Amino acid sequence: MFRNQYDTDVTTWSPAGRLFQVEYAMEAVKQGSAAIGLRSKTHVVLACVNKANSELSSHQKKIFKVDNHIGVAIAGLTADGRVLSRYMRSECINYNYTYESPLPVGRLVVQLADKAQVCTQRSWKRPYGVGLLVAGLDESGAHLYYNCPSGNYFEYQAFAIGSRSQAAKTYLERRFDNFMGSSREDLIKDALIATRESLQGEKLRSSVCTIAVVGVGEPFHILDQETVQQLIDTFEIVKEDEPPAEEAQPATEQDAPTDQASGADQGAAGDQGGSPMEI
């Protein structure tokens, strides 16, 4: 995108019917670290990539608890995400105080979308530069929504936003038929594998990802690093058995050409790091 005479104000339309300031805000979401969400009939799992600005700094928090039945994962401008999560928290408290019942997830998402839309129609405001994956559980079941800076919102079975999220989307598109009947552990496993796909070659560790879960009989909470690392080791998502397998290849001389070819293919896939890996 390049600067032009129609992008100086959020309320200025271009001749093609576009609002460039809103599109720039949506581009900011694509530049943020990846966030992933997927749901079944009873659970919703959120995952995000922890990206630090430098080796000397800690990462920004990307998953926020809104209420016992709602949480959000953000991609984009973290400061805007904190403001919107605090607004959502306030709305849940007010609704619970007035009606003595949890705020339905769909109603909260509509209120959040209306708040974002106001910023696209006021010349003295700017759109929020953050996308939110809203995970929640209410009387109608588990829900996963995506709120866009333009004020639009969509409900998804599984979705990924942020930088390098296309590989995670490709994996989720291959697997989403099984999500509705998946258990809690299977959802977490798929979330971790989708997170690994978005890393594109980097090793998946508990220090580079955050996992949060909400479900029937389980309030929204963020898993600690020890639990996440145990899940990674249990699911064998990081293939630590590959080096011994490669060392054992010369022992089988009769299958040496085939083994060398497969080893070369695995080495090429490891170097690229962008193609989805089979489970």
Side-chain angles (χ1 to χ4, degrees), residues 192-236:
L192 287 170
I193 296 176
T195 304
R196 183 195 62 187
E197 299 299 333
S198 66
L199 294 176
Q200 295 186 351
E202 298 180 26
K203 184 178 180 181
L204 179 64
R205 303 184 305 273
S206 60
S207 59
V208 299
C209 67
T210 303
I211 304 293
V213 184
V214 62
V216 176
E218 183 177 10
F220 184 89
H221 66 286
I222 300 175
L223 303 181
D224 54 68
Q225 286 192 0
E226 291 79 8
T227 303
V228 174
Q229 188 61 50
Q230 290 176 3
L231 292 171
I232 293 174
D233 297 336
T234 302
F235 297 146
E236 297 180 351

Side-chain angles (χ1 to χ4, degrees), residues 33-80:
S33 57
I36 300 164
L38 56 161
R39 71 180 176 95
S40 66
K41 292 181 179 179
T42 57
H43 289 81
V44 188
V45 175
L46 294 177
C48 70
V49 177
N50 301 331
K51 184 172 64 174
N53 293 330
S54 69
E55 296 181 357
L56 301 177
S57 66
S58 62
H59 63 272
Q60 294 273 10
K61 188 177 180 181
K62 310 289 286 188
I63 297 181
F64 301 94
K65 179 180 179 179
V66 176
D67 202 348
N68 287 332
H69 67 297
I70 299 177
V72 295
I74 66 173
L77 196 58
T78 311
D80 287 359

Side-chain angles (χ1 to χ4, degrees), residues 28-30 32-35 62 73-78 129-133 161-163:
V29 177
K30 299 178 183 179
S33 57
K62 310 289 286 188
I74 66 173
L77 196 58
T78 311
V130 64
L132 294 94
L133 289 177
I161 58 177
S163 63

Side-chain angles (χ1 to χ4, degrees), residues 17 37 64 74 83 97 113 123 131 133 136 141 146 148 157 179 207 214-215 217 221 246 264 266 275:
F64 301 94
I74 66 173
V83 171
Y97 178 80
S123 60
L133 289 177
Y146 168 57
C148 186
Q157 185 67 44
F179 288 160
S207 59
V214 62
H221 66 286
E246 292 178 358
Q266 292 178 358
S275 59

